[in-house]
């Protein structure tokens, strides 16, 4: 006898992600899931956003790493509430981790929450955390072929940031190929070219984020 | 990716569904796996055989229904599947874009039980 099941294999995570999403929505918290390879600039981008918006709105950060609190310490130094998750080998964050971290963080209503995922262009895209926006950060030194190789990540992105544009004169980075790879997977995704080091392009990214805050 | 925990999820969901149907044995499980869902069939089969031992799905067959990414040509509108890593339209060689949520399927479709 055939029995229809029609259940997502990631059912348990999906359910927790849904609950997270509802909680964030009720409290008017705009949540970003920031994903990238190690070293692409996740923490740097968050720090730039904090610098621009901390007088405008309350901000909270959840840091995800296999080990250490290096990134959380940087956020703390910037005067922003932060919780560090250490996954002890886990290569991505999941909805349950975020549920628990958000409780520790005591998020304010009408605020921004940035979740810095574990450095990894593969696994995080498969785990809904309850976020509003998936931000994928690529960087110039990684090369222009990342959207061609990591198709799930770039297909899932709600916004793509290309960081370290100050290094373009020194690296063989084919922008056409980079954009082509993105557009095939994600036709209309906004792409922001920035340099955290020189401040180039940061204003436009901040503006885009402000437009998406819960009003 | 994460084939152990994915397999455990599959087993847990199927056993729960089997209880609802008062099944004695699960003979076959059909999974729908999209091309964008990283999934290593052989690893899942290996874990399934290990984790399924002594349960009602011990000898169940796993059927993988693979769903390719559906693309639509920006030039001529033709819908097609990519050939290897080539996203070019099979009709006019124009660029294709992914349609809807295609390729992200990752679910248990059905079970054959007794």
């Amino acid at each position: 006898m055939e029995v229809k099941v029609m259940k997502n294999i990631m059912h348990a995570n999906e359910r927790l992600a849904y609950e997270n999403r509802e909680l964030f929505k009720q409290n008017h918290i705009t949540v970003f899931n920031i994903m990238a390879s190690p070293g692409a600039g996740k923490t740097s981008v968050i720090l730039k956003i904090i610098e621009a918006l901390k007088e405008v709105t309350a901000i909270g950060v959840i840091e995800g790493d296999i080990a250490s609190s290096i990134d959380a310490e940087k956020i703390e130094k910037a005067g922003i509430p932060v919780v560090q998750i250490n996954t002890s080998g886990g290569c991505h964050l999941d909805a349950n981790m975020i549920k628990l971290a958000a409780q520790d963080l005591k998020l304010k209503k009408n605020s921004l929450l940035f979740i810095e995922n574990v450095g990894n262009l593969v696994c995080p895209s498969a785990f809904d955390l309850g976020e509003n926006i998936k931000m994928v950060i690529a960087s110039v030194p990684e090369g222009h072929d990342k959207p061609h190789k990591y198709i799930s990540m770039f297909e899932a992105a709600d916004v793509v940031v290309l960081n370290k544009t100050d290094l373009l004169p020194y690296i063989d980075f084919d922008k056409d190929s980079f954009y082509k790879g993105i557009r095939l997977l994600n036709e209309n995704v906004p792409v922001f070219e920035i340099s955290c080091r020189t401040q180039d392009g940061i204003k436009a990214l901040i503006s885009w984020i402000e437009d998406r805050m819960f009003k | 990716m994460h084939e152990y925990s994915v397999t455990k999820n599959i087993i847990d969901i199927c056993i729960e569904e089997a209880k609802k149907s008062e099944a004695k044995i699960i003979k076959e499980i059909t999974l729908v796996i999209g091309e964008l869902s990283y999934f290593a069939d052989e690893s899942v089969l290996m874990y399934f055989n290990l984790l399924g031992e002594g349960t009602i799905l011990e000898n169940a067959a796993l059927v993988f229904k693979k769903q390719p990414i559906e693309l639509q040509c920006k030039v001529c509108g033709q819908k097609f599947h990519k050939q290897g890593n080539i996203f070019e339209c099979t009709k006019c060689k124009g660029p294709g874009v992914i349609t809807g949520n295609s390729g992200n399927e990752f679910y248990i479709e059905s079970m054959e039980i007794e």
Side-chain angles (χ1 to χ4, degrees):
Chain A
M1 180 179 104
E2 189 188 291
V3 171
K4 276 283 176 213
V5 176
M6 301 303 287
K7 247 191 179 151
N8 191 318
I9 293 168
M10 308 299 288
H11 169 72
N13 188 78
E14 294 286 306
R15 177 151 162 206
L16 287 168
Y18 171 81
E19 288 171 8
N20 289 345
R21 190 167 274 115
E22 285 299 299
L23 181 72
F24 295 140
K25 189 174 164 185
Q26 276 162 32
N27 289 286
H28 288 203
I29 299 167
T30 313
V31 185
F32 291 76
N33 179 2
I34 301 185
M35 300 177 281
S37 299
K42 295 183 290 301
T43 315
S44 298
V45 168
I46 292 173
L47 286 168
K48 284 294 165 192
I49 296 168
I50 287 170
E51 195 179 295
L53 292 180
K54 71 177 185 186
E55 305 300 327
V56 171
T57 181
I59 299 175
V61 176
I62 297 174
E63 282 288 342
D65 278 298
I66 290 175
S68 107
S69 57
I70 292 172
D71 292 344
E73 286 163 29
K74 289 179 185 172
I75 305 293
E76 210 164 41
K77 208 169 164 192
I80 297 296
V82 58
V83 165
Q84 176 80 58
I85 300 172
N86 284 141
T87 65
S88 305
C91 51
H92 59 270
L93 296 177
D94 65 30
N96 190 45
M97 293 174 187
I98 298 309
K99 177 180 172 170
L100 297 170
Q103 284 165 4
D104 284 344
L105 199 49
K106 296 181 183 38
L107 291 158
K108 291 202 169 82
K109 290 188 189 230
N110 303 304
S111 63
L112 288 175
L113 171 62
F114 295 97
I115 302 170
E116 181 176 338
N117 216 312
V118 177
N120 180 349
L121 270 183
V122 182
C123 315
S125 65
F127 291 86
D128 188 357
L129 305 179
E131 73 274 21
N132 301 109
I133 292 164
K134 284 181 161 64
M135 177 184 287
V136 176
I137 301 175
S139 72
V140 167
E142 292 172 77
H144 52 259
D145 58 359
K146 295 301 158 291
H148 298 267
K149 290 184 174 181
Y150 296 91
I151 56 178
S152 291
M153 182 59 75
F154 285 89
E155 189 272 339
D158 296 305
V159 59
V160 174
V161 174
L162 175 64
N163 189 23
K164 308 192 187 182
T165 51
D166 52 303
L167 295 179
L168 281 167
Y170 312 105
I171 308 242
D172 285 335
F173 188 94
D174 181 347
K175 266 205 208 175
D176 285 342
S177 175
F178 180 75
Y179 276 93
K180 185 181 174 185
I182 292 173
R183 294 291 166 234
L184 289 171
L185 300 164
N186 203 331
E187 201 180 357
N188 299 310
V189 71
V191 181
F192 291 94
E193 296 184 23
I194 71 167
S195 162
C196 286
R197 210 173 68 81
T198 66
Q199 296 284 110
D200 220 36
I202 300 281
K203 251 190 189 163
L205 176 62
I206 299 298
S207 209
W208 188 88
I209 290 169
E210 281 186 288
D211 285 345
R212 267 136 202 90
M213 282 166 52
F214 274 116
K215 303 270 188 290
Chain B
M1 175 183 71
H2 315 117
E3 277 72 14
Y4 176 86
S5 58
V6 160
T7 310
K8 186 138 185 353
N9 287 352
I10 293 167
I11 288 173
D12 289 347
I13 292 170
C14 288
I15 289 178
E16 192 186 310
E17 291 296 315
K19 275 188 192 147
K20 287 183 198 168
S21 308
E22 294 176 0
K24 299 220 170 26
I25 303 171
I26 300 175
K27 291 166 66 179
E28 188 178 273
I29 299 166
T30 300
L31 306 171
V32 178
I33 310 290
E35 199 173 344
L36 289 169
S37 301
Y38 303 133
F39 191 86
D41 301 7
E42 281 153 16
S43 300
V44 169
L45 275 167
M46 179 191 71
Y47 287 123
F48 189 80
N49 290 334
L50 283 169
L51 296 172
E53 258 179 55
T55 70
I56 62 167
L57 40 73
E58 194 169 22
N59 296 307
L62 281 183
V63 174
F64 302 110
K65 265 177 152 175
K66 295 297 182 91
Q67 297 292 115
I69 299 168
E70 187 188 71
L71 297 157
Q72 186 160 29
C73 179
K74 286 180 78 172
V75 174
C76 72
Q78 170 86 355
K79 287 192 178 172
F80 63 99
H81 299 138
K82 67 179 177 65
Q83 314 294 309
N85 289 323
I86 306 204
F87 284 63
E88 282 170 3
C89 174
T90 47
K91 194 171 162 192
C92 75
K93 300 272 183 225
V97 288
I98 295 181
T99 60
N101 203 32
S102 143
N104 283 304
E105 300 86 354
F106 199 58
Y107 61 94
I108 303 166
E109 186 177 76
S110 62
M111 300 189 301
E112 191 64 38
I113 60 165
E114 251 177 39

